[in-house]
Amino acid sequence: MMGDLASHILTLPVAVVLAIVFLLPALESSAFIGFIFPGEIALILGGVVASQGRVPVLAVLAAGIGGAILGDSVGYAVGSRFGRGLLDGTVGRFVKPAHLDRAEAYLAERGGKAVFFGRFTAALRVLIPGLAGMSGLRYRTFLFYNVSSAVGWGVLSVMLGYLGGNNWRHVEHIASRLGLAALALVAVGFLSGFVLRRFGTRRIARSVSAVTSCVVVQRTLARFPRTSRWLGRRLDPSDRAGLGLTVAIAVAIAATWMSLGVTQDVLGHEELALLDPRIHTWVDAHRAAGLNTFFSTATWLGAIAVTVPLLAIVGGVLARRRRSLAPVLDILVVYLGAVSLHTIVGLIAHRGRPPAADWIAPAGGWAYPSGHTSQAVAAWGIIALLVAARSTPRTRVLVGLGAATIVAVVGLSRVYLGVHWATDVLGGVAMSTAVLATWSTVRRTFLSPRATPCDIPGRPTTGFSRLTPQHRSLAMHSLTNRNRLHQFRPPQLQRTVVVIPTYNEAGNVTAVLERVRQETTGVDVLVVDDNSPDGTADLVKVHPAYVEWPLSADRSTAGAVFLLSRTTKDGLGGAYRAGFAWALERDYDAVVQMDADLSHPADRIPALLRALDTADMAVGSRYTPGGGVSNWSPSRRLISWAGNHYVRLVLGLPVHDTTAGFKAFRRGTLESIGVLDSVSNGYCFQIENTWRVVRLGLSVREVPITFVDRTVGTSKMSGSIAVEALIRVLVWRWREFRHHDTTSGQGASQDQTQPSSARRRGGRHVAA
């Protein structure tokens, strides 16, 4: 009977058909006729009429989508005004009031998803609008999801009828089955939620634990310990190199296998390639004026004229916001890799395009693989990955669906416009997906920071190997507990010293001492002089606040100036290590390091010390928002910017100013990172300490400063210092890559009854 009624609708005048296409979706949820005559049938029939050329397809889309939006809005209003009363008098008699209240609260909080996905499910499409109104879901939220779902559902239903043509009965049967399948998935989801609420995650976790602790499983794990640990790491979703890397590898393998299979079929004119003429003929016979315009416009989303400027804009914005060149590198590698692979395979395959008489858009070059599709996958795929990397799970899903939709539309447009065979599009998707997944694998494996550069049994990492057992234990414990956050009140910093290394700074040392003492109260100053021939040490000794160590019994250290004279000059790192050792031996609670050339603003020392209330290390940053430089030449700005981004890219550090020399440390931080065992001598010493702090999971806070270039004296920067930084950064990253899997489970065996602030808070980075 339903089939006869549908057949009769196809014979009605066009105006009546459009009225039915509008009214049935409108009455589906407002008058509940959807239980008898589902609205998608009317839209499918409207698509069939459009395929016959009797009515424009855009008119059918407008009627169906408009009716769906209006009908659901009426259903929402009815539910908002009368819903609970009607429900209590009917179905509500058999349901506990508490359950109804819980359902209303759920829809009020998360009803947007129910409105969107309910449109595509049988039965729920009729009930969801009224339930949303009854629950008190804001109409603005309801309208957004209502319009979004109506557009998607309407386009899908009308296109099924339009492309199905005279086979509309089969298409309607498939659509009904899909609606029932969606309903079944919703039921399974609700059932799973019920099981979780009924039995609780703890009980399920206990069951899983019981299974994994059984004798057979334990024996298997004991028999293959390395394999078990490897599998555990590969499936760990919290590890950047865990589940994410496993998925990337799986996608790369699957896409590569698919691209090789499609290429073989194309070169051998077999299997999938045999279907290309049939698909081309069918598409050519079902073209319509409205679709011609749509696909002719949509295909530009994969053109070089659109993708290249888009990637340039996105790369520039992300690089500026994240203060890193990593997004630019990702974009260049993926896009250029996809374009290069397309060019090479195209020259090898030498496949011709479909007959030019069937084209409705210009085209050039070889057919296989599709260039537009390859570029669309590479461009929109890498944009989606970059945006999703620092987004919420919900945003990741939406971004992924958006990118997949654009790629699908571009691929369909190439086949619809007659310029490509179906396997051209399929091959382009597979190849660019393989490039995207392969680079993601390389990025996670080689260019992402690992847990720690701590020592490895039998093959120690430089510096960390000489940490004391207690400090190594504290550092490793901070890693293993970085995700266990607790309420924490930091201890007060009682004694602070500012360490200033000098060499030939006679023109600046007196001024810098005065500025530090003016801007701070009760803070000591230690000048570490490397036997300066210009008399720098003599100027320190005649300063009014200068005090010899050890102190006399009646002398307080508050605000005193001390001098540590060294007989040799062995670099900035050596001077700082000597100063830090001096401070640690005298039990200072905090240590500030700064240059003597007046480039570091002494008035920011109090801000650095305040930052230590919530961090283990504070950095006076030139490149965090609010920071900057003054009196620098363009060449120096470029060198500093490039060097800083080089360090961030290679080591994967989240700190904006990795080469900063104006820092404050807690005493425990200096001990944990083994600062006295560092090996860098030049300005690379600054990078090494920051790297160690970040890798041990300790917290960093950046305080913006304005760096002013020196006006007296000469800079100590040299070519050898720059080369040292370039080489050491690469060496550290290489050691991390080689040894990152061998540190798990070490340490944490010593006394841990006095955890440091870093262990209590977990590692993190904060920009002030």
Side-chain angles (χ1 to χ4, degrees), residues 517-541:
R517 298 184 73 249
Q518 289 174 3
E519 300 296 342
T520 60
T521 302
V523 173
D524 296 342
V525 182
L526 172 67
V527 177
V528 183
D529 186 67
D530 284 355
N531 197 20
S532 300
D534 68 346
T536 300
D538 296 332
L539 292 175
V540 175
K541 291 179 181 180

Side-chain angles (χ1 to χ4, degrees), residues 18-36:
L18 288 177
I20 293 175
V21 171
F22 174 82
L23 289 175
L24 286 181
L27 298 175
E28 188 173 28
S29 58
S30 58
F32 305 107
I33 68 169
F35 290 114
I36 303 173

Side-chain angles (χ1 to χ4, degrees), residues 165-209:
N166 294 329
N167 296 322
W168 66 268
R169 293 180 183 271
H170 182 63
V171 172
E172 185 274 330
H173 179 70
I174 295 176
S176 300
R177 292 295 179 89
L178 290 176
L180 292 174
L183 181 62
L185 289 176
V186 172
V188 170
F190 276 108
L191 180 61
S192 301
F194 171 77
V195 171
L196 288 175
R197 290 191 299 270
R198 179 68 178 83
F199 298 100
T201 55
R202 292 184 178 179
R203 184 176 299 182
I204 295 176
R206 285 197 298 268
S207 300
V208 174
S209 177

Side-chain angles (χ1 to χ4, degrees), residues 497 499 526 528 564 574-584 591:
V497 62
V499 178
L526 172 67
V528 183
L564 176 60
Y576 269 126
R577 280 189 290 270
F580 289 158
W582 186 94
L584 294 176
V591 179

